[in-house]
Amino acid sequence: MMNQNHTLYATQQTMNTPQMTHNTSSHSSSKRRPKQKIEKSNEEFKEHERIIMDKRIAEINNVITKKCHTLWNQYLFFKKKPHTLQFNFVYHGLENYLKKCDDYKPEQHKDNKQKWWNNQKASEMSQQFLPSVLNSTDHMAQYLGKQIHANMQVEFTNYVTFELLETAITSVFSTQRSGSNEVFLRTSFQYAKAGLRKKLVSYFGDGELRQYDTKSRKKKDLWQRLIKEKKEKLLQLFNHKKSMYSNDTKVGIIHHQNNHHTQQYDNMSMMQQM
């Protein structure tokens, strides 16, 4: 009886074994089949990059427009704000920028096209796109600066220039790739001869940059700090000028009132003498 039970258990175990082996084999086989990544065509690749650039541009227009409204409400509230107050940056070099995607030759690069472009676009953006953004924010600063009293236009324009500059280079946009959502890519700051570097240097005097060597000037964090510090100094200068103008205006009003009262008194005296 024991032998029969033992034989029965052994038979069941033998019958079950192939099924377990089959399942394990099938599971392992599915693991060994990696999902193949489909490479984009040249046109699909460029269309994807066009969408990314459109997001960058849309975000720049969004954040600068909001900042302009904030500045107007804070400093230009005495004037009616135009309904058309909006930052509308358009990058006319977009097509030439996208053509650079076609420079990739698989036989000449060990990296795939996307990885190659992630490195390449930082250089391309630093040449024209990013400095052209700052040229446009400068023009907007000039426009806002002319809206205030003539005695304060220089100080106000200088401050607003750096306010918009800081807003632009710190802006970010939504993307599926974490770490690549900066409008002004960190790696775009490392090119010493690029248009972006030349534009950034133009905002400062030689004495303000002399202490920073070539290596440190490649870091975005340095430029953000320098821009923030100078913006705060320019704001102080503007506030000082504004207070001086306010005091002068008050003195002028009092002086005008005194002259008016004196004239009235003189007129009364003349009438009495007559």
Side-chain angles (χ1 to χ4, degrees):
M1 187 73 176
M2 290 179 62
N3 290 340
Q4 289 178 350
N5 289 339
H6 179 71
T7 302
L8 179 61
Y9 171 76
T11 303
Q12 291 175 342
Q13 188 177 38
T14 303
M15 290 174 63
N16 290 336
T17 300
Q19 184 178 1
M20 292 174 61
T21 303
H22 174 73
N23 290 340
T24 303
S25 176
S26 175
H27 183 65
S28 300
S29 176
S30 63
K31 272 188 172 183
R32 286 195 300 267
R33 294 174 185 170
K35 192 174 181 179
Q36 291 185 352
K37 188 175 181 180
I38 301 175
E39 294 290 336
K40 299 185 183 76
S41 67
N42 289 339
E43 292 307 314
E44 289 173 338
F45 190 92
K46 283 192 286 189
E47 184 59 27
H48 173 74
E49 291 304 316
R50 184 190 299 275
I51 293 172
I52 297 296
M53 287 296 286
D54 286 344
K55 287 185 177 182
R56 276 195 172 89
I57 294 170
E59 185 58 25
I60 277 290
N61 287 332
N62 177 47
V63 296
I64 297 298
T65 295
K66 286 182 178 179
K67 180 60 69 174
C68 289
H69 280 265
T70 299
L71 292 169
W72 193 289
N73 294 339
Q74 188 170 359
Y75 300 108
L76 304 172
F77 53 86
F78 53 88
K79 296 186 71 171
K80 184 178 180 180
K81 184 167 56 177
H83 298 295
T84 55
L85 181 61
Q86 189 172 2
F87 187 72
N88 289 311
F89 171 74
V90 177
Y91 183 42
H92 297 290
L94 181 58
E95 295 306 320
N96 289 333
Y97 169 82
L98 293 174
K99 284 181 181 178
K100 295 292 182 179
C101 298
D102 296 332
D103 291 346
Y104 177 77
K105 301 293 186 292
E107 64 275 9
Q108 298 176 1
H109 303 279
K110 62 179 181 179
D111 296 327
N112 62 35
K113 188 172 184 177
Q114 187 63 63
K115 188 173 182 179
W116 167 83
W117 179 247
N118 288 343
N119 295 322
Q120 185 71 17
K121 68 181 176 182
S123 173
E124 295 299 333
M125 289 173 59
S126 70
Q127 300 298 331
Q128 293 184 347
F129 172 67
L130 297 178
S132 65
V133 171
L134 299 184
N135 287 336
S136 294
T137 59
D138 288 350
H139 290 154
M140 179 59 82
Q142 292 289 330
Y143 166 75
L144 293 175
K146 291 177 181 178
Q147 307 309 311
I148 208 164
H149 193 277
N151 289 352
M152 297 182 286
Q153 283 186 5
V154 173
E155 290 78 10
F156 185 57
T157 301
N158 289 340
Y159 158 63
V160 171
T161 297
F162 273 75
E163 188 71 72
L164 298 185
L165 170 61
E166 182 183 43
T167 301
I169 71 166
T170 57
S171 59
V172 296
F173 66 101
S174 299
T175 163
Q176 294 179 350
R177 288 176 52 83
S178 60
S180 62
N181 60 347
E182 296 175 310
V183 174
F184 281 66
L185 292 174
R186 291 184 173 272
T187 46
S188 292
F189 288 76
Q190 67 184 5
Y191 302 99
K193 297 182 179 180
L196 176 60
R197 175 70 65 82
K198 294 175 182 177
K199 184 64 178 174
L200 291 171
V201 169
S202 71
Y203 290 110
F204 299 90
D206 292 338
E208 295 174 294
L209 298 176
R210 188 175 294 117
Q211 61 180 304
Y212 304 105
D213 58 15
T214 303
K215 184 177 180 181
S216 61
R217 294 187 190 191
K218 293 182 177 182
K219 298 179 180 179
K220 182 178 180 178
D221 290 341
L222 171 68
W223 292 106
Q224 287 185 192
R225 179 172 62 81
L226 292 176
I227 290 168
K228 183 178 181 62
E229 290 174 354
K230 187 162 184 177
K231 181 200 74 173
E232 292 172 351
K233 291 178 182 178
L234 292 171
L235 177 58
Q236 290 178 357
L237 290 174
F238 166 63
N239 284 333
H240 177 67
K241 185 76 174 203
K242 185 170 62 171
S243 63
M244 288 178 59
Y245 173 73
S246 178
N247 291 334
D248 290 343
T249 302
K250 289 177 182 177
V251 170
I253 292 173
I254 294 172
H255 182 67
H256 175 74
Q257 290 175 340
N258 289 338
N259 288 341
H260 180 67
H261 291 319
T262 302
Q263 185 66 38
Q264 285 182 327
Y265 178 77
D266 291 341
N267 291 339
M268 291 177 63
S269 298
M270 290 177 63
M271 290 179 65
Q272 290 174 354
Q273 290 176 2
M274 293 174 63

